[in-house]
Amino acid sequence: MPSASGVYSSSGVFVCFEGGEGSGKSTQSRLLGEWLRSEGYPALLTFEPGDTAVGRKLRQIVLSPETGELSHRTEVLLYAADKAEHVDTVVQPALDRGDVVITDRYVDSLLAYQGAGRALKAEELERVARWATQDLRPHLTVVLDLAPEAGLGRFEERDRIEGESLDFHLRVRESFLVLAAADPGHYLVLDAHAPIQEIEEAVRERVRPLLAQARQP
């Protein structure tokens, strides 16, 4: 099981949204960012994979159906490269400024999709992921839990990962829940079927105590 220890930035606040396909991560990321800015806090919304110039190229490779089959280890290394570039050029500089960084997906997605989904060894996978990200951990990871059947039904067209089997996505869902259960102090699991405003308020409640590390309004 992945370790709960790691590096937590002493400046800024790092919040991550995780969960299966169609669970509302992008919506809740946006709503949290809007609320923080309305309160005067600097908030940076970002995502993985693909929110850097290098990452956009890597995203095209790992998600485009035209890529076809990839070695599972190749897929892991491509995702890890995206995360390394993302942390070094986007996430860590923003935290150093005292910003609240809100990311749609981070290391847990690699552990869930390529670890549980692809059935790779968790210990080996985590070593790669943690090295790539300098072991930087979110202060809070919000897992929006949704049955894969419900989330995947929201897409007319699917990318390489969305197009995987239902069993694959069931393993991914279970992995997110296992990760959260192992470190409840840094996780918040919410039912993605709940009303958007209810989820939004639950997230705010957990984020408020963390804001002492952010630049003050």
Coordinates of all heavy atoms in Angstrom, one line a residue, residues 4 49 71 85 87 93-94 107 113 119 125 127 133 136 139 154-155 171 182 194 198-199:
A4 N 1.8 7.0 3.4 CA 1.1 8.3 3.6 C 2.0 9.4 3.9 O 1.7 10.6 4.0 CB 0.1 8.1 4.8
P49 N -3.2 14.9 -17.3 CA -2.0 15.3 -18.0 C -2.2 16.5 -18.9 O -3.4 16.7 -19.4 CB -1.6 14.1 -18.8 CG -2.9 13.5 -19.1 CD -3.8 13.7 -18.0
S71 N 3.1 -0.3 -24.4 CA 3.6 -1.1 -23.3 C 3.1 -0.4 -22.0 O 3.1 0.9 -21.9 CB 5.1 -1.1 -23.3 OG 5.6 -1.4 -22.0
E85 N 7.3 17.5 -15.2 CA 7.3 18.8 -15.8 C 6.2 19.7 -15.1 O 6.5 20.9 -14.9 CB 7.0 18.7 -17.3 CG 7.1 19.9 -18.1 CD 8.5 20.4 -18.2 OE1 9.5 19.7 -17.8 OE2 8.7 21.5 -18.8
V87 N 5.0 19.6 -12.0 CA 5.4 20.0 -10.6 C 6.5 21.0 -10.7 O 6.5 22.1 -10.0 CB 5.8 18.8 -9.8 CG1 6.6 19.2 -8.5 CG2 4.6 17.9 -9.4
P93 N 6.3 26.3 -8.3 CA 6.5 27.7 -8.3 C 5.3 28.5 -7.7 O 5.4 29.5 -7.0 CB 6.7 28.0 -9.8 CG 7.3 26.8 -10.3 CD 6.6 25.7 -9.6
A94 N 4.1 28.0 -8.0 CA 2.9 28.6 -7.4 C 2.8 28.4 -5.9 O 2.4 29.4 -5.2 CB 1.6 28.0 -8.1
V107 N -0.9 12.4 -8.7 CA -0.2 11.1 -8.6 C -1.2 9.9 -8.3 O -1.1 8.8 -8.9 CB 0.8 11.1 -7.4 CG1 1.3 9.7 -7.1 CG2 2.0 11.9 -7.8
Y113 N -5.0 4.2 -12.1 CA -5.2 3.8 -13.5 C -4.1 2.8 -14.0 O -4.4 1.8 -14.6 CB -5.3 5.0 -14.4 CG -6.7 5.7 -14.3 CD1 -6.9 6.7 -13.4 CD2 -7.7 5.4 -15.3 CE1 -8.1 7.3 -13.3 CE2 -8.9 6.0 -15.2 CZ -9.1 7.0 -14.2 OH -10.4 7.6 -14.2
A119 N -2.8 -3.3 -13.5 CA -2.4 -4.4 -12.6 C -0.8 -4.5 -12.5 O -0.2 -5.6 -12.6 CB -2.9 -5.8 -13.1
L125 N 5.5 1.2 -9.0 CA 4.9 2.3 -9.6 C 5.0 3.6 -8.7 O 5.3 4.7 -9.2 CB 3.4 2.0 -9.9 CG 2.6 3.0 -10.7 CD1 3.2 3.1 -12.1 CD2 1.2 2.5 -10.8
R127 N 7.3 4.3 -6.6 CA 8.7 4.8 -6.6 C 8.9 5.8 -7.8 O 9.5 6.8 -7.6 CB 9.7 3.7 -6.6 CG 9.9 3.0 -5.3 CD 11.2 2.2 -5.2 NE 11.2 1.1 -6.1 CZ 10.7 -0.1 -5.8 NH1 10.2 -0.4 -4.6 NH2 10.8 -1.1 -6.7
T133 N 7.7 13.5 -9.0 CA 7.1 14.7 -8.4 C 7.8 15.2 -7.1 O 7.3 16.0 -6.4 CB 5.6 14.3 -8.0 OG1 5.6 13.2 -7.1 CG2 4.8 14.0 -9.2
L136 N 6.2 15.4 -3.6 CA 5.3 16.5 -3.2 C 3.8 15.9 -3.1 O 3.3 15.3 -4.1 CB 5.3 17.6 -4.2 CG 4.4 18.8 -3.9 CD1 4.9 19.5 -2.6 CD2 4.3 19.8 -5.1
H139 N -2.0 18.9 0.2 CA -2.5 19.0 1.6 C -3.9 18.4 1.7 O -4.2 17.9 2.8 CB -2.6 20.5 2.0 CG -1.3 21.2 2.0 ND1 -0.9 22.0 0.9 CD2 -0.3 21.2 2.9 CE1 0.3 22.5 1.2 NE2 0.7 22.0 2.4
R154 N -21.6 9.4 -19.6 CA -21.7 10.8 -19.9 C -20.9 11.1 -21.1 O -20.9 12.3 -21.6 CB -21.2 11.6 -18.7 CG -22.0 11.4 -17.4 CD -21.5 12.2 -16.3 NE -22.3 11.9 -15.1 CZ -22.0 12.4 -13.9 NH1 -21.0 13.2 -13.7 NH2 -22.8 12.2 -12.8
F155 N -20.1 10.2 -21.7 CA -19.3 10.5 -22.9 C -19.8 9.8 -24.1 O -20.1 8.6 -24.1 CB -17.8 9.9 -22.6 CG -17.2 10.6 -21.4 CD1 -17.2 10.0 -20.2 CD2 -16.5 11.8 -21.5 CE1 -16.6 10.6 -19.1 CE2 -15.9 12.4 -20.4 CZ -16.0 11.8 -19.2
R171 N -11.7 -1.4 -10.9 CA -10.4 -1.5 -10.1 C -9.9 -0.1 -9.8 O -9.4 0.1 -8.7 CB -9.4 -2.3 -10.9 CG -9.7 -3.8 -11.1 CD -8.5 -4.6 -11.6 NE -8.0 -4.2 -12.9 CZ -8.4 -4.6 -14.0 NH1 -9.4 -5.5 -14.1 NH2 -7.9 -4.2 -15.2
A182 N -6.4 5.0 3.6 CA -5.1 4.8 4.3 C -4.6 6.1 4.9 O -3.7 6.1 5.7 CB -4.1 4.3 3.2
A194 N -24.1 13.4 -5.2 CA -24.7 14.5 -4.3 C -24.9 15.8 -5.1 O -24.2 16.0 -6.1 CB -23.9 14.7 -3.1
E198 N -23.8 20.9 -2.5 CA -23.5 20.2 -1.3 C -22.1 19.7 -1.3 O -21.4 19.8 -0.3 CB -24.4 19.0 -1.2 CG -24.2 18.1 0.0 CD -25.2 17.0 0.1 OE1 -26.4 17.2 -0.2 OE2 -24.8 15.8 0.4
I199 N -21.6 19.3 -2.4 CA -20.2 18.9 -2.6 C -19.3 20.1 -2.4 O -18.3 20.1 -1.7 CB -20.0 18.2 -4.0 CG1 -20.7 16.9 -4.1 CG2 -18.5 18.0 -4.2 CD1 -20.7 16.3 -5.5

